[in-house]
Amino acid sequence: MDNANTSVAHLFFRPLLDIADHLTSSRSCPKLADEDWLQTGVRRVLSACDSGLDFLSQLAFSDLGEIGRTHFFETLKSSRRLSLCQEAAHSIHDHLASAAPDRLAPIPSLEGFEIFAGDGHWNAAAAHDPKKSGKKHAVGHLYGLDLRHNALFHLQAADQQNKLKEHDMSGLKRTAIEDLRRGAPKGKRVLWIWDRAGIDFRQWYRWKQGSGIYFLSHAKENMRPETLCEHPWEQGDAVNNGVVSDREVSTSQGVSVRQVIYTDPATDREFTFITNLPRSIPPGVIAQLYRMRWDAEKVFDELKNKLGEKKGWASSPNAKAMQASFLCMAHNLIEVESLRLEREHDVKNVAEHKRKKKRLAKERKKAKEPLPELYVRLQRLTQHSVKLIRWIRYHLWKETSLEEALPQLRTLYAKL
């Protein structure tokens, strides 16, 4: 086998190359083939370049060769390329979901649920965005993170024509039911975990009754719901450590929901959660699920601060939606590569795992009562290591074989 097929870059992009010929939006393009264009978009995310021109210059100086300015910038406007990009992002998401272990498998009460953490994320205006009301405005996107498999996907771009800053719930209501269900088969229920911007009890009721879509959120501070009844719960079960109460409450919109009050044993902070999940889900599980919503925040932090994706690439709505799909592809391909390196080569971030254990030990020592069982059992690294990102980034521009590059990553991972 030649070096090109065992290079870090080829192995990283292999999931994308495997699906390229099966994408229904694919067309023959001799100047820049679709599979090369898709790889170029992912490289743009991972490049740490300050601008599109900076990126094209780096391409020209690398082993990959030059790509014309028109071939990159003009295709960002293409509706056909947008469909291709979204289709590829969906396929890579599904590939990761099938390859990754199910983090929530240890919670039997969640069997039959797809679990997504959702949030809005904003990119600063692109360099050539037009001004509105005298200034350029950031563009928002709604994303989902599959909490079972750490797979990221794009839901919806904010309304760029009629609203300068669209509310999350407005965007959610515009989203097609099949997109909110993320292709879940009939009979499978879907849970969305959203912050307070995702609260609309009437809409929650409609989605639950009509489409099997449930919601969980952190209660707003000004909520004063009336208690309808107290729900019994297993106080001796370690899963429920920290739970104060589980009750049914009425809302101002005439819809009853569950209210779970929880005190974090590690910090002694009190939280109030609101959900329309059935009582078969223990209150301690509800608290843990909302805690895991933090994973989505960590992903956005990674996109901005480790990958440097803080502003738009271009001004057209197609380009903005395309960039969001490329962000998802890059995150999911990094996750796939991280899993592959661990499974096939036993490459682990030893130093970071040691740090995680030390932090958990400190929390246990500080806590006034035992930490929730699920919190301890479901510990994981919530971000990709900057060491892994830099290692991938460096070798994406070269023909370095994995055999040559692996010792570098092992050395990086062994150091604090």
Side-chain angles (χ1 to χ4, degrees):
M1 185 180 294
D2 64 43
N3 191 59
N5 289 334
T6 61
S7 69
V8 173
H10 178 83
L11 294 170
F12 177 79
F13 281 121
R14 188 165 60 186
L16 192 55
L17 297 171
D18 288 346
I19 64 166
D21 292 337
H22 306 290
L23 299 174
T24 60
S25 302
S26 184
R27 300 288 185 274
S28 175
C29 187
K31 291 185 178 179
L32 184 61
D34 280 349
E35 66 179 50
D36 295 329
W37 179 82
L38 288 168
Q39 291 178 77
T40 300
V42 175
R43 280 191 170 96
R44 174 72 177 91
V45 175
L46 294 172
S47 68
C49 293
D50 293 331
S51 67
L53 288 176
D54 182 18
F55 169 67
L56 292 183
S57 297
Q58 188 167 337
L59 269 178
F61 298 147
S62 73
D63 296 340
L64 302 172
E66 187 173 357
I67 290 179
R69 178 174 175 173
T70 301
H71 297 152
F72 181 72
F73 287 111
E74 290 302 316
T75 55
L76 294 177
K77 302 175 185 176
S78 167
S79 296
R80 201 273 296 180
R81 294 275 201 183
L82 173 59
S83 297
L84 177 76
C85 184
Q86 291 173 330
E87 189 180 359
H90 200 294
S91 295
I92 295 298
H93 170 279
D94 291 348
H95 174 80
L96 172 56
S98 65
D102 181 357
R103 186 185 175 197
L104 297 176
I107 310 178
S109 61
L110 295 180
E111 186 176 352
F113 277 91
E114 296 290 354
I115 315 286
F116 304 135
D119 204 1
H121 179 61
W122 293 79
N123 288 333
H128 299 291
D129 276 0
K131 291 183 178 181
K132 294 181 180 180
S133 302
K135 64 177 183 179
K136 296 180 181 180
H137 292 271
V139 176
H141 295 270
L142 300 182
Y143 291 89
L145 183 70
D146 177 352
L147 290 184
R148 291 189 180 276
H149 308 104
N150 196 35
L152 184 67
F153 57 95
H154 184 230
L155 262 184
Q156 184 76 258
D159 185 342
Q160 299 168 49
Q161 300 299 321
N162 303 310
K163 299 179 180 179
L164 295 181
K165 191 167 184 179
E166 186 177 22
H167 192 274
D168 285 9
M169 182 49 72
S170 174
L172 282 169
K173 288 178 179 178
R174 290 192 296 105
T175 305
I177 292 298
E178 55 266 31
D179 292 331
L180 287 174
R181 288 187 55 81
R182 196 61 187 173
K186 188 176 181 180
K188 178 81 80 170
R189 292 176 288 182
V190 170
L191 170 63
W192 277 98
I193 308 165
W194 215 278
D195 63 12
R196 296 179 176 105
I199 293 179
D200 184 326
F201 297 123
R202 276 285 179 192
Q203 189 61 51
W204 284 15
Y205 178 81
R206 295 187 193 101
W207 277 324
K208 175 183 173 181
Q209 296 300 112
S211 308
I213 298 171
Y214 296 73
F215 270 76
L216 163 62
S217 186
H218 192 201
K220 295 180 179 179
E221 293 180 1
N222 61 353
M223 283 183 179
R224 298 292 183 269
E226 179 185 349
T227 300
L228 299 176
C229 66
E230 295 283 347
H231 296 313
W233 47 281
E234 294 292 333
Q235 298 189 30
D237 189 340
V239 166
N240 293 321
N241 285 355
V243 173
V244 176
S245 68
D246 182 6
R247 59 184 61 152
E248 195 76 13
V249 299
S250 65
T251 68
S252 60
Q253 293 178 302
V255 177
S256 65
V257 292
R258 271 177 87 181
Q259 180 195 69
V260 172
I261 299 177
Y262 169 82
T263 300
D264 187 340
T267 63
D268 207 33
R269 288 182 60 195
E270 185 176 278
F271 299 88
T272 301
F273 304 114
I274 298 289
T275 184
N276 56 359
L277 282 169
R279 287 178 54 199
S280 58
I281 311 295
V285 171
I286 288 171
Q288 174 61 24
L289 286 173
Y290 196 83
R291 187 198 302 271
M292 291 173 67
R293 200 195 75 82
W294 181 247
D295 286 7
E297 302 286 355
K298 298 297 283 185
V299 167
F300 296 145
D301 179 75
E302 178 181 303
L303 295 178
K304 277 193 172 183
N305 296 314
K306 292 185 179 180
L307 298 181
E309 287 293 320
K310 298 180 180 180
K311 61 182 292 186
W313 290 353
S315 296
S316 72
N318 282 354
K320 294 181 188 300
M322 210 178 281
Q323 181 180 3
S325 289
F326 275 127
L327 289 176
C328 295
M329 259 192 278
H331 170 274
N332 293 339
L333 285 170
I334 294 171
E335 183 73 6
V336 169
E337 183 66 0
S338 177
L339 291 169
R340 189 186 69 80
L341 288 170
E342 182 170 344
R343 288 171 176 170
E344 297 180 12
H345 303 281
D346 196 31
V347 177
K348 301 176 184 177
N349 192 347
V350 178
E352 193 57 44
H353 281 290
K354 287 180 179 179
R355 272 197 289 258
K356 194 81 172 173
K357 287 181 179 179
K358 287 181 180 179
R359 284 195 293 267
L360 182 60
K362 287 181 180 179
E363 288 181 341
R364 277 179 160 149
K365 187 175 181 179
K366 184 179 177 181
K368 294 181 179 179
E369 60 177 285
L371 296 177
E373 179 190 28
L374 290 176
Y375 174 64
V376 176
R377 290 176 64 189
L378 300 179
Q379 289 282 309
R380 63 176 291 273
L381 302 183
T382 54
Q383 283 192 340
H384 296 124
S385 166
V386 71
K387 297 173 182 178
L388 175 64
I389 291 171
R390 287 172 179 165
W391 180 81
I392 292 172
R393 176 183 287 157
Y394 177 80
H395 291 292
L396 280 189
W397 305 92
K398 299 178 176 293
E399 294 283 346
T400 319
S401 71
L402 182 65
E403 185 179 6
E404 292 177 81
L406 266 184
Q408 302 168 348
L409 185 59
R410 290 186 194 278
T411 301
L412 288 171
Y413 271 178
K415 296 178 180 177
L416 288 173

